[in-house]
Amino acid sequence: MQAILAGAVLLVCLSTPLMGGMQYPRLRTKRLLPEPTPGAPLAVGLGSWVMWLLMFPVFRVGFTGTRDTWICVVLLVLCVLVARLMVRMTAPARLKGSRMLIAVRTLVLCCVVAGVMAPLDARVDRQPMAGMTVIYATTAAVLGLMRIVDHGYFPLVLLRTALWKVLLAVVTGYWIHHTGGTLTPDPDEATAGTLLLAVLWWSLAGLSAGCVVAVPVRLVRWLRTGPPASPAPPGVTPWPPAVGAVWTAELTHDDNTYKERPVVVLERTPDFVRVLGVTSVDKSTRRHGYLKLRLSEWEGVLTKDGWLNLEIAHIPYCDFLWRRGECPQRVWDELCGRADVRERSAKAGPAPGFTFHYRLRSAMNAHVGRDARTVRADAGNRARRAWTRQKV
């Protein structure tokens, strides 16, 4: 009974990453949720069974003759096609068109599955369910790691996921050892149940190790230069922000407050985006630094007349929320020819939102400071009015 419970826990841990994206956006009411893939567990379950049916004869027949060689080649080709289908079904939409990446991941999946099946094949040849579980565990670990890396945008949230996986691996490993099992059984002498538990545990350990390795790779770059342009923040489509597009973004101010504002994208760089912010506050007394935007020309993009701040702001990629539309061509042509579109003054200091403590907080899927729209101007920081914002 203990072995069955341990096996069930390990299977659930391996299957969880296949259910959907691992991380959620900062504002769940404002961004789309990470793309779910409800068919991924079914695809892996059926695909792993088919892969076992195709790989099993290859190990049994072998490349012993011309006829057997051709049979094995055909079976391996079919196995690669099944693996490619599983990789595509579990990959996010933005990566489905990358043929080279899909091909590399397919090759990795096939090699790992074949490497696991080779020493265990003699023990599971008479127990199809055992063979299917071995293939499923290996396939779920490889594809689950790919999904975690694909959806693990915020590094410190990814670290939390990695620590949970490591903790579960340690607990289940101790449980298996305490109940008389072993994590390194001899394939020629161990029972099928012992082999299955060992394969499940090592699959979870491999998934945990992959998460742990991915964290510093993401975190070091994030803390040095800020949130990257790729992969896309969870739930944000389309991506990346196109030049001339109008987006809603969290615009950080010098006093560490931030507010959701429409912004016009001017230029993308590897580490941030140059934008012009839109405000609804009347700026008629400061026409030299602002451009009047009339609702009649911005229908469907803005909800009221506004003013475009001609001082360029730098926004991290993680602060983009959703796309509102396109900047009218007349306004864009005017912006390209205006001499008063200017960079931030050097006397104002570095752009807000790019200090180390901001990058550290954003890696946790959080924000430094407070939301200027949810805190009353005449109240302290703890006084908040009711949440009434709705998506435009």
Side-chain angles (χ1 to χ4, degrees), residues 1 28 54 56 85 97-98 104 114 116-117 124 152 156 161 170 194 197 208 219 222-223 227-228 238 285 302 321 348:
M1 180 58 69
R28 300 191 187 188
L54 295 173
F56 179 73
L85 180 62
S98 180
V104 171
V116 172
M117 278 296 296
V124 298
L156 294 182
T161 301
V170 171
T194 302
L197 274 181
S208 305
L219 184 60
W222 190 293
L223 295 180
T285 59
L302 302 179
L321 302 179

Side-chain angles (χ1 to χ4, degrees), residues 217-229 269-273 315-317 353-356 359 362:
V217 175
R218 293 276 175 87
L219 184 60
V220 169
R221 179 185 175 186
W222 190 293
L223 295 180
R224 289 181 60 187
T225 60
T269 73
D271 305 322
F272 60 88
V273 182
I315 296 185
Y317 281 99
F354 289 89
T355 59
F356 179 81
R359 294 196 298 268
S362 64

Side-chain angles (χ1 to χ4, degrees), residues 70-391:
W70 279 108
I71 292 175
C72 292
V73 169
V74 171
L75 292 175
L76 289 176
V77 170
L78 293 175
C79 187
V80 170
L81 294 177
V82 173
R84 182 179 182 276
L85 180 62
M86 287 192 292
V87 170
R88 277 185 56 83
M89 289 192 67
T90 56
R94 70 179 188 276
L95 299 180
K96 293 184 186 293
S98 180
R99 297 182 178 180
M100 181 60 68
L101 180 62
I102 296 296
V104 171
R105 290 185 171 187
T106 301
L107 181 61
V108 170
L109 175 60
C110 291
C111 291
V112 173
V113 171
V116 172
M117 278 296 296
L120 302 180
D121 183 65
R123 299 295 300 170
V124 298
D125 56 348
R126 296 182 180 180
Q127 300 185 35
M129 292 303 297
M132 184 190 70
T133 307
V134 170
I135 294 282
Y136 179 85
T138 307
T139 303
V142 175
L143 295 180
L145 177 59
M146 293 178 184
R147 283 187 64 83
I148 291 175
V149 172
D150 291 338
H151 294 86
Y153 182 74
F154 302 101
L156 294 182
V157 180
L158 180 60
L159 176 62
R160 184 177 61 190
T161 301
L163 293 179
W164 272 111
K165 298 293 182 184
V166 171
L167 178 61
L168 288 171
V170 171
V171 171
T172 52
Y174 174 79
W175 191 2
I176 293 172
H177 180 74
H178 184 71
T179 55
T182 177
L183 300 177
T184 57
D186 185 352
D188 296 328
E189 299 179 0
T191 63
T194 302
L195 288 174
L196 288 177
L197 274 181
V199 170
L200 289 172
W201 188 88
W202 281 107
S203 297
L204 179 61
L207 178 61
S208 305
C211 293
V212 171
V213 172
V215 167
V217 175
R218 293 276 175 87
L219 184 60
V220 169
R221 179 185 175 186
W222 190 293
L223 295 180
R224 289 181 60 187
T225 60
S230 179
V236 181
T237 56
W239 191 260
V243 174
V246 181
W247 281 69
T248 294
E250 292 175 344
L251 191 60
T252 306
H253 306 298
D254 289 317
D255 59 356
N256 268 345
T257 62
Y258 60 95
K259 186 177 181 180
E260 292 178 16
R261 292 187 182 275
V263 296
V264 178
V265 178
L266 295 182
E267 182 186 14
R268 293 199 313 264
T269 73
D271 305 322
F272 60 88
V273 182
R274 290 187 173 91
V275 303
L276 298 179
V278 179
T279 180
S280 59
V281 179
D282 184 17
K283 300 293 183 179
S284 56
T285 59
R286 300 177 58 186
R287 287 183 176 273
H288 66 283
Y290 290 85
L291 176 65
K292 177 68 174 179
L293 306 179
R294 301 193 180 277
L295 181 60
S296 58
E297 193 173 16
W298 292 75
E299 191 69 34
V301 181
L302 302 179
T303 58
K304 60 179 73 174
D305 292 346
W307 293 84
L308 184 66
N309 190 348
L310 299 181
E311 182 179 87
I312 298 175
H314 297 176
I315 296 185
Y317 281 99
C318 67
D319 285 354
F320 283 85
L321 302 179
W322 73 85
R323 184 181 181 275
R324 303 175 68 104
E326 290 287 334
C327 177
Q329 189 61 45
R330 185 198 66 80
V331 178
W332 182 256
D333 293 339
E334 183 178 352
L335 288 176
C336 292
R338 290 187 68 119
D340 51 350
V341 176
R342 62 196 183 282
E343 289 282 358
R344 177 183 173 88
S345 172
K347 296 181 180 180
F354 289 89
T355 59
F356 179 81
H357 73 291
Y358 177 89
R359 294 196 298 268
L360 183 63
R361 288 278 293 172
S362 64
M364 303 175 188
N365 194 15
H367 208 296
V368 169
R370 67 179 191 271
D371 189 335
R373 296 183 63 180
T374 61
V375 180
R376 298 205 314 264
D378 59 344
N381 292 349
R382 295 184 180 180
R384 292 179 177 268
R385 59 183 173 87
W387 181 274
T388 58
R389 291 186 289 168
Q390 296 181 354
K391 181 176 178 180

